[in-house]
Amino acid sequence: MIDIFLNGSAHPVPDSTTIDGLIESLGIPRKGIALALNSEVIPQSGWMERLLLPHDKVELLTIAQGG
Amino acid sequence: MEASLEPIKLGSLTLTSRLILGTGGAPSNQIIKEIVVASQTQLVTVALRRYEPRAANSLYDILRNLKVDILPNTAGCFGAKEAILTAKMGREALETNNVKLEVLANDKDLLPDPYELLDATEALALDGFNVFAYTGDDPVVARRLEFAGAQVVMPLGAPIGTGLGIRNAHNIEMIVSQASVPIVLDAGIGTASDAAVAMELGCDAVLVASAITRARDPQTMARAIALATEAGFLSRHGGRIPKREWAVASSPTEGMADFT
């Protein structure tokens, strides 16, 4: 297992986990979300290819109320 | 065509409603649903925030079911870099190139930082975004934003959430008169008459959040502001009479009875 940071909190994932694998493990719908890895926005089309490394910072956002 | 039916093109969107609804400040998602329906808006704004598993994705589902277009914003960003990244996240989350670009100078007055805003506008426009730039009421900055590639310029009437109305109506008129992109009055509207004034000044649309979401009865206020927006637009197109210093009788002055 390795530790990444998911939305600011330590989050363990198995070695060789892709972004897609992370989203799968969270069991969340794939519509209306966006993800950045170490401050780089990764489109969904690239989620299968990107492997997570120790201490990677993942920001997973969705829409919220806003003016 | 009756003026009220004239559609407006904002970014990639063509809308017949000239009221953009901000969802910020609503007491619940149920209220958002009610005010979207009551206002008959076709475009709502949202922010991007960290995914919370417990909150689920209900706002997204609600808005999609209501069949309104969704305009992501960069609210809360205090620099061009952060705003650009947030805009890109919004593009991914909502599959739209439209973005309401907010780059704020500080968290007290929430006024836009014109320098960072211009940099971010230029970068995002080059990257294929349709930038809706939230700006102050300075006509020079508004013009510069247009040159930088903004497709919609959104001057404030007053600082966000203040409900102080349009503090510098003449500036808004100047912005409108020299613009070749749509002008949307954003921020400061406190009540229905403010929306009407914005439209009478020549704005192409208004964006309203707090005045509706934080009203005692949001549903009723949504309807009131929608009507006022349309009334203001019609009034602008109907053409106001010139202001005169002295009275001009509207009843005929000839044919009066002689009661002497």
Side-chain angles (χ1 to χ4, degrees), chain B residues 110-138:
Chain B
L110 300 178
L111 290 173
D113 180 325
Y115 304 99
E116 296 286 319
L117 178 64
L118 275 163
D119 285 350
T121 298
E122 200 164 50
L124 289 169
L126 282 172
D127 195 15
F129 280 88
N130 307 318
V131 177
F132 294 45
Y134 169 63
T135 181
D137 59 12
D138 182 337

PDB file of all heavy atoms in Angstrom, chain B residues 110-138:
ATOM      1  N   LEU B 110     -14.476  41.323  -1.407  1.00  0.00           N
ATOM      2  CA  LEU B 110     -14.674  40.384  -2.525  1.00  0.00           C
ATOM      3  C   LEU B 110     -14.666  41.091  -3.891  1.00  0.00           C
ATOM      4  O   LEU B 110     -15.340  40.665  -4.819  1.00  0.00           O
ATOM      5  CB  LEU B 110     -15.974  39.580  -2.348  1.00  0.00           C
ATOM      6  CG  LEU B 110     -16.074  38.713  -1.093  1.00  0.00           C
ATOM      7  CD1 LEU B 110     -17.449  38.017  -1.034  1.00  0.00           C
ATOM      8  CD2 LEU B 110     -14.970  37.659  -1.032  1.00  0.00           C
ATOM      9  N   LEU B 111     -13.919  42.177  -3.963  1.00  0.00           N
ATOM     10  CA  LEU B 111     -13.848  42.897  -5.243  1.00  0.00           C
ATOM     11  C   LEU B 111     -12.870  42.189  -6.181  1.00  0.00           C
ATOM     12  O   LEU B 111     -11.873  41.619  -5.736  1.00  0.00           O
ATOM     13  CB  LEU B 111     -13.407  44.346  -5.017  1.00  0.00           C
ATOM     14  CG  LEU B 111     -14.438  45.232  -4.319  1.00  0.00           C
ATOM     15  CD1 LEU B 111     -13.838  46.598  -4.001  1.00  0.00           C
ATOM     16  CD2 LEU B 111     -15.691  45.389  -5.174  1.00  0.00           C
ATOM     17  N   PRO B 112     -13.161  42.222  -7.487  1.00  0.00           N
ATOM     18  CA  PRO B 112     -12.262  41.569  -8.437  1.00  0.00           C
ATOM     19  C   PRO B 112     -10.907  42.272  -8.496  1.00  0.00           C
ATOM     20  O   PRO B 112     -10.836  43.499  -8.383  1.00  0.00           O
ATOM     21  CB  PRO B 112     -12.997  41.717  -9.770  1.00  0.00           C
ATOM     22  CG  PRO B 112     -14.382  42.131  -9.432  1.00  0.00           C
ATOM     23  CD  PRO B 112     -14.332  42.833  -8.130  1.00  0.00           C
ATOM     24  N   ASP B 113      -9.845  41.488  -8.696  1.00  0.00           N
ATOM     25  CA  ASP B 113      -8.503  42.031  -8.905  1.00  0.00           C
ATOM     26  C   ASP B 113      -8.314  42.178 -10.413  1.00  0.00           C
ATOM     27  O   ASP B 113      -8.164  41.182 -11.122  1.00  0.00           O
ATOM     28  CB  ASP B 113      -7.468  41.052  -8.323  1.00  0.00           C
ATOM     29  CG  ASP B 113      -6.044  41.549  -8.513  1.00  0.00           C
ATOM     30  OD1 ASP B 113      -5.766  42.187  -9.552  1.00  0.00           O
ATOM     31  OD2 ASP B 113      -5.216  41.283  -7.636  1.00  0.00           O
ATOM     32  N   PRO B 114      -8.323  43.410 -10.928  1.00  0.00           N
ATOM     33  CA  PRO B 114      -8.339  43.576 -12.388  1.00  0.00           C
ATOM     34  C   PRO B 114      -7.096  43.020 -13.081  1.00  0.00           C
ATOM     35  O   PRO B 114      -7.181  42.542 -14.214  1.00  0.00           O
ATOM     36  CB  PRO B 114      -8.438  45.086 -12.585  1.00  0.00           C
ATOM     37  CG  PRO B 114      -8.093  45.701 -11.284  1.00  0.00           C
ATOM     38  CD  PRO B 114      -8.359  44.690 -10.220  1.00  0.00           C
ATOM     39  N   TYR B 115      -5.942  43.083 -12.416  1.00  0.00           N
ATOM     40  CA  TYR B 115      -4.703  42.637 -13.066  1.00  0.00           C
ATOM     41  C   TYR B 115      -4.697  41.122 -13.227  1.00  0.00           C
ATOM     42  O   TYR B 115      -4.405  40.588 -14.290  1.00  0.00           O
ATOM     43  CB  TYR B 115      -3.485  43.103 -12.252  1.00  0.00           C
ATOM     44  CG  TYR B 115      -3.497  44.592 -12.047  1.00  0.00           C
ATOM     45  CD1 TYR B 115      -3.948  45.152 -10.853  1.00  0.00           C
ATOM     46  CD2 TYR B 115      -3.095  45.440 -13.070  1.00  0.00           C
ATOM     47  CE1 TYR B 115      -3.989  46.527 -10.679  1.00  0.00           C
ATOM     48  CE2 TYR B 115      -3.134  46.816 -12.901  1.00  0.00           C
ATOM     49  CZ  TYR B 115      -3.584  47.354 -11.706  1.00  0.00           C
ATOM     50  OH  TYR B 115      -3.637  48.706 -11.549  1.00  0.00           O
ATOM     51  N   GLU B 116      -5.027  40.426 -12.137  1.00  0.00           N
ATOM     52  CA  GLU B 116      -5.074  38.956 -12.197  1.00  0.00           C
ATOM     53  C   GLU B 116      -6.204  38.504 -13.129  1.00  0.00           C
ATOM     54  O   GLU B 116      -6.085  37.522 -13.851  1.00  0.00           O
ATOM     55  CB  GLU B 116      -5.297  38.383 -10.787  1.00  0.00           C
ATOM     56  CG  GLU B 116      -4.172  38.669  -9.810  1.00  0.00           C
ATOM     57  CD  GLU B 116      -2.920  37.824 -10.078  1.00  0.00           C
ATOM     58  OE1 GLU B 116      -3.071  36.638 -10.388  1.00  0.00           O
ATOM     59  OE2 GLU B 116      -1.806  38.377  -9.981  1.00  0.00           O
ATOM     60  N   LEU B 117      -7.300  39.237 -13.085  1.00  0.00           N
ATOM     61  CA  LEU B 117      -8.466  38.902 -13.913  1.00  0.00           C
ATOM     62  C   LEU B 117      -8.122  38.994 -15.404  1.00  0.00           C
ATOM     63  O   LEU B 117      -8.486  38.114 -16.195  1.00  0.00           O
ATOM     64  CB  LEU B 117      -9.621  39.856 -13.575  1.00  0.00           C
ATOM     65  CG  LEU B 117     -10.907  39.701 -14.377  1.00  0.00           C
ATOM     66  CD1 LEU B 117     -11.547  38.342 -14.120  1.00  0.00           C
ATOM     67  CD2 LEU B 117     -11.891  40.815 -14.020  1.00  0.00           C
ATOM     68  N   LEU B 118      -7.413  40.054 -15.767  1.00  0.00           N
ATOM     69  CA  LEU B 118      -7.023  40.213 -17.174  1.00  0.00           C
ATOM     70  C   LEU B 118      -6.082  39.091 -17.618  1.00  0.00           C
ATOM     71  O   LEU B 118      -6.251  38.527 -18.698  1.00  0.00           O
ATOM     72  CB  LEU B 118      -6.352  41.582 -17.381  1.00  0.00           C
ATOM     73  CG  LEU B 118      -7.324  42.727 -17.636  1.00  0.00           C
ATOM     74  CD1 LEU B 118      -6.653  44.075 -17.412  1.00  0.00           C
ATOM     75  CD2 LEU B 118      -7.879  42.652 -19.057  1.00  0.00           C
ATOM     76  N   ASP B 119      -5.113  38.771 -16.763  1.00  0.00           N
ATOM     77  CA  ASP B 119      -4.179  37.680 -17.101  1.00  0.00           C
ATOM     78  C   ASP B 119      -4.937  36.368 -17.295  1.00  0.00           C
ATOM     79  O   ASP B 119      -4.697  35.639 -18.256  1.00  0.00           O
ATOM     80  CB  ASP B 119      -3.148  37.494 -15.971  1.00  0.00           C
ATOM     81  CG  ASP B 119      -2.098  38.589 -15.986  1.00  0.00           C
ATOM     82  OD1 ASP B 119      -2.066  39.358 -16.971  1.00  0.00           O
ATOM     83  OD2 ASP B 119      -1.327  38.681 -15.009  1.00  0.00           O
ATOM     84  N   ALA B 120      -5.836  36.072 -16.370  1.00  0.00           N
ATOM     85  CA  ALA B 120      -6.580  34.804 -16.435  1.00  0.00           C
ATOM     86  C   ALA B 120      -7.512  34.786 -17.640  1.00  0.00           C
ATOM     87  O   ALA B 120      -7.656  33.766 -18.321  1.00  0.00           O
ATOM     88  CB  ALA B 120      -7.364  34.589 -15.140  1.00  0.00           C
ATOM     89  N   THR B 121      -8.134  35.915 -17.942  1.00  0.00           N
ATOM     90  CA  THR B 121      -9.036  36.004 -19.099  1.00  0.00           C
ATOM     91  C   THR B 121      -8.282  35.682 -20.381  1.00  0.00           C
ATOM     92  O   THR B 121      -8.727  34.893 -21.216  1.00  0.00           O
ATOM     93  CB  THR B 121      -9.658  37.416 -19.194  1.00  0.00           C
ATOM     94  OG1 THR B 121     -10.441  37.650 -18.028  1.00  0.00           O
ATOM     95  CG2 THR B 121     -10.535  37.567 -20.430  1.00  0.00           C
ATOM     96  N   GLU B 122      -7.115  36.307 -20.512  1.00  0.00           N
ATOM     97  CA  GLU B 122      -6.317  36.112 -21.720  1.00  0.00           C
ATOM     98  C   GLU B 122      -5.908  34.641 -21.870  1.00  0.00           C
ATOM     99  O   GLU B 122      -6.065  34.043 -22.941  1.00  0.00           O
ATOM    100  CB  GLU B 122      -5.064  36.988 -21.635  1.00  0.00           C
ATOM    101  CG  GLU B 122      -4.420  37.244 -22.957  1.00  0.00           C
ATOM    102  CD  GLU B 122      -3.441  38.413 -22.859  1.00  0.00           C
ATOM    103  OE1 GLU B 122      -2.598  38.394 -21.920  1.00  0.00           O
ATOM    104  OE2 GLU B 122      -3.522  39.322 -23.675  1.00  0.00           O
ATOM    105  N   ALA B 123      -5.427  34.060 -20.776  1.00  0.00           N
ATOM    106  CA  ALA B 123      -4.955  32.664 -20.818  1.00  0.00           C
ATOM    107  C   ALA B 123      -6.114  31.713 -21.136  1.00  0.00           C
ATOM    108  O   ALA B 123      -5.972  30.797 -21.956  1.00  0.00           O
ATOM    109  CB  ALA B 123      -4.314  32.295 -19.486  1.00  0.00           C
ATOM    110  N   LEU B 124      -7.244  31.925 -20.507  1.00  0.00           N
ATOM    111  CA  LEU B 124      -8.378  31.013 -20.710  1.00  0.00           C
ATOM    112  C   LEU B 124      -8.978  31.177 -22.113  1.00  0.00           C
ATOM    113  O   LEU B 124      -9.382  30.196 -22.741  1.00  0.00           O
ATOM    114  CB  LEU B 124      -9.439  31.234 -19.629  1.00  0.00           C
ATOM    115  CG  LEU B 124      -9.032  30.741 -18.229  1.00  0.00           C
ATOM    116  CD1 LEU B 124     -10.018  31.233 -17.170  1.00  0.00           C
ATOM    117  CD2 LEU B 124      -8.928  29.218 -18.194  1.00  0.00           C
ATOM    118  N   ALA B 125      -9.048  32.410 -22.587  1.00  0.00           N
ATOM    119  CA  ALA B 125      -9.585  32.631 -23.938  1.00  0.00           C
ATOM    120  C   ALA B 125      -8.694  31.925 -24.969  1.00  0.00           C
ATOM    121  O   ALA B 125      -9.202  31.283 -25.897  1.00  0.00           O
ATOM    122  CB  ALA B 125      -9.680  34.127 -24.230  1.00  0.00           C
ATOM    123  N   LEU B 126      -7.387  32.007 -24.774  1.00  0.00           N
ATOM    124  CA  LEU B 126      -6.455  31.327 -25.688  1.00  0.00           C
ATOM    125  C   LEU B 126      -6.612  29.818 -25.620  1.00  0.00           C
ATOM    126  O   LEU B 126      -6.348  29.109 -26.581  1.00  0.00           O
ATOM    127  CB  LEU B 126      -5.006  31.703 -25.341  1.00  0.00           C
ATOM    128  CG  LEU B 126      -4.543  33.076 -25.816  1.00  0.00           C
ATOM    129  CD1 LEU B 126      -3.164  33.408 -25.254  1.00  0.00           C
ATOM    130  CD2 LEU B 126      -4.506  33.127 -27.353  1.00  0.00           C
ATOM    131  N   ASP B 127      -7.056  29.340 -24.475  1.00  0.00           N
ATOM    132  CA  ASP B 127      -7.229  27.895 -24.264  1.00  0.00           C
ATOM    133  C   ASP B 127      -8.620  27.423 -24.707  1.00  0.00           C
ATOM    134  O   ASP B 127      -9.010  26.287 -24.435  1.00  0.00           O
ATOM    135  CB  ASP B 127      -6.995  27.593 -22.774  1.00  0.00           C
ATOM    136  CG  ASP B 127      -6.789  26.113 -22.525  1.00  0.00           C
ATOM    137  OD1 ASP B 127      -6.535  25.363 -23.493  1.00  0.00           O
ATOM    138  OD2 ASP B 127      -6.918  25.680 -21.359  1.00  0.00           O
ATOM    139  N   GLY B 128      -9.381  28.300 -25.339  1.00  0.00           N
ATOM    140  CA  GLY B 128     -10.670  27.880 -25.891  1.00  0.00           C
ATOM    141  C   GLY B 128     -11.864  28.074 -24.979  1.00  0.00           C
ATOM    142  O   GLY B 128     -12.977  27.637 -25.294  1.00  0.00           O
ATOM    143  N   PHE B 129     -11.656  28.732 -23.848  1.00  0.00           N
ATOM    144  CA  PHE B 129     -12.790  28.988 -22.950  1.00  0.00           C
ATOM    145  C   PHE B 129     -13.630  30.166 -23.444  1.00  0.00           C
ATOM    146  O   PHE B 129     -13.106  31.091 -24.065  1.00  0.00           O
ATOM    147  CB  PHE B 129     -12.282  29.333 -21.540  1.00  0.00           C
ATOM    148  CG  PHE B 129     -11.888  28.142 -20.721  1.00  0.00           C
ATOM    149  CD1 PHE B 129     -10.607  27.626 -20.782  1.00  0.00           C
ATOM    150  CD2 PHE B 129     -12.809  27.527 -19.881  1.00  0.00           C
ATOM    151  CE1 PHE B 129     -10.242  26.521 -20.022  1.00  0.00           C
ATOM    152  CE2 PHE B 129     -12.459  26.425 -19.129  1.00  0.00           C
ATOM    153  CZ  PHE B 129     -11.174  25.917 -19.195  1.00  0.00           C
ATOM    154  N   ASN B 130     -14.922  30.111 -23.133  1.00  0.00           N
ATOM    155  CA  ASN B 130     -15.788  31.269 -23.305  1.00  0.00           C
ATOM    156  C   ASN B 130     -15.843  31.956 -21.945  1.00  0.00           C
ATOM    157  O   ASN B 130     -16.540  31.498 -21.044  1.00  0.00           O
ATOM    158  CB  ASN B 130     -17.196  30.849 -23.732  1.00  0.00           C
ATOM    159  CG  ASN B 130     -17.163  29.954 -24.957  1.00  0.00           C
ATOM    160  OD1 ASN B 130     -16.411  30.202 -25.885  1.00  0.00           O
ATOM    161  ND2 ASN B 130     -17.975  28.903 -24.957  1.00  0.00           N
ATOM    162  N   VAL B 131     -15.078  33.024 -21.814  1.00  0.00           N
ATOM    163  CA  VAL B 131     -14.925  33.647 -20.498  1.00  0.00           C
ATOM    164  C   VAL B 131     -16.039  34.658 -20.230  1.00  0.00           C
ATOM    165  O   VAL B 131     -16.240  35.593 -21.015  1.00  0.00           O
ATOM    166  CB  VAL B 131     -13.543  34.333 -20.381  1.00  0.00           C
ATOM    167  CG1 VAL B 131     -13.408  35.037 -19.034  1.00  0.00           C
ATOM    168  CG2 VAL B 131     -12.427  33.315 -20.563  1.00  0.00           C
ATOM    169  N   PHE B 132     -16.751  34.457 -19.123  1.00  0.00           N
ATOM    170  CA  PHE B 132     -17.705  35.428 -18.587  1.00  0.00           C
ATOM    171  C   PHE B 132     -16.947  36.100 -17.435  1.00  0.00           C
ATOM    172  O   PHE B 132     -16.800  35.502 -16.369  1.00  0.00           O
ATOM    173  CB  PHE B 132     -18.947  34.737 -18.022  1.00  0.00           C
ATOM    174  CG  PHE B 132     -19.831  34.013 -19.011  1.00  0.00           C
ATOM    175  CD1 PHE B 132     -19.325  33.180 -19.991  1.00  0.00           C
ATOM    176  CD2 PHE B 132     -21.225  34.136 -18.923  1.00  0.00           C
ATOM    177  CE1 PHE B 132     -20.157  32.493 -20.878  1.00  0.00           C
ATOM    178  CE2 PHE B 132     -22.069  33.465 -19.794  1.00  0.00           C
ATOM    179  CZ  PHE B 132     -21.535  32.642 -20.778  1.00  0.00           C
ATOM    180  N   ALA B 133     -16.445  37.306 -17.664  1.00  0.00           N
ATOM    181  CA  ALA B 133     -15.533  37.912 -16.699  1.00  0.00           C
ATOM    182  C   ALA B 133     -16.275  38.789 -15.697  1.00  0.00           C
ATOM    183  O   ALA B 133     -16.868  39.802 -16.066  1.00  0.00           O
ATOM    184  CB  ALA B 133     -14.485  38.724 -17.436  1.00  0.00           C
ATOM    185  N   TYR B 134     -16.187  38.392 -14.443  1.00  0.00           N
ATOM    186  CA  TYR B 134     -16.775  39.192 -13.351  1.00  0.00           C
ATOM    187  C   TYR B 134     -15.807  40.304 -12.993  1.00  0.00           C
ATOM    188  O   TYR B 134     -14.659  40.049 -12.616  1.00  0.00           O
ATOM    189  CB  TYR B 134     -17.034  38.288 -12.133  1.00  0.00           C
ATOM    190  CG  TYR B 134     -17.393  39.066 -10.892  1.00  0.00           C
ATOM    191  CD1 TYR B 134     -18.549  39.838 -10.858  1.00  0.00           C
ATOM    192  CD2 TYR B 134     -16.563  39.064  -9.771  1.00  0.00           C
ATOM    193  CE1 TYR B 134     -18.867  40.593  -9.732  1.00  0.00           C
ATOM    194  CE2 TYR B 134     -16.887  39.804  -8.643  1.00  0.00           C
ATOM    195  CZ  TYR B 134     -18.024  40.564  -8.636  1.00  0.00           C
ATOM    196  OH  TYR B 134     -18.335  41.314  -7.519  1.00  0.00           O
ATOM    197  N   THR B 135     -16.264  41.541 -13.114  1.00  0.00           N
ATOM    198  CA  THR B 135     -15.363  42.676 -12.944  1.00  0.00           C
ATOM    199  C   THR B 135     -16.017  43.785 -12.126  1.00  0.00           C
ATOM    200  O   THR B 135     -17.209  43.719 -11.819  1.00  0.00           O
ATOM    201  CB  THR B 135     -14.917  43.196 -14.343  1.00  0.00           C
ATOM    202  OG1 THR B 135     -14.020  44.287 -14.167  1.00  0.00           O
ATOM    203  CG2 THR B 135     -16.099  43.674 -15.168  1.00  0.00           C
ATOM    204  N   GLY B 136     -15.218  44.800 -11.793  1.00  0.00           N
ATOM    205  CA  GLY B 136     -15.762  45.981 -11.134  1.00  0.00           C
ATOM    206  C   GLY B 136     -16.550  46.815 -12.144  1.00  0.00           C
ATOM    207  O   GLY B 136     -16.797  46.366 -13.268  1.00  0.00           O
ATOM    208  N   ASP B 137     -16.928  48.022 -11.739  1.00  0.00           N
ATOM    209  CA  ASP B 137     -17.742  48.828 -12.665  1.00  0.00           C
ATOM    210  C   ASP B 137     -16.904  49.860 -13.404  1.00  0.00           C
ATOM    211  O   ASP B 137     -17.396  50.904 -13.811  1.00  0.00           O
ATOM    212  CB  ASP B 137     -18.934  49.465 -11.934  1.00  0.00           C
ATOM    213  CG  ASP B 137     -18.505  50.369 -10.794  1.00  0.00           C
ATOM    214  OD1 ASP B 137     -17.297  50.683 -10.699  1.00  0.00           O
ATOM    215  OD2 ASP B 137     -19.371  50.754  -9.989  1.00  0.00           O
ATOM    216  N   ASP B 138     -15.611  49.563 -13.587  1.00  0.00           N
ATOM    217  CA  ASP B 138     -14.717  50.485 -14.286  1.00  0.00           C
ATOM    218  C   ASP B 138     -14.808  50.248 -15.798  1.00  0.00           C
ATOM    219  O   ASP B 138     -14.464  49.166 -16.277  1.00  0.00           O
ATOM    220  CB  ASP B 138     -13.286  50.237 -13.791  1.00  0.00           C
ATOM    221  CG  ASP B 138     -12.269  51.186 -14.426  1.00  0.00           C
ATOM    222  OD1 ASP B 138     -12.565  51.721 -15.522  1.00  0.00           O
ATOM    223  OD2 ASP B 138     -11.202  51.382 -13.846  1.00  0.00           O
TER     224      ASP B 138
END
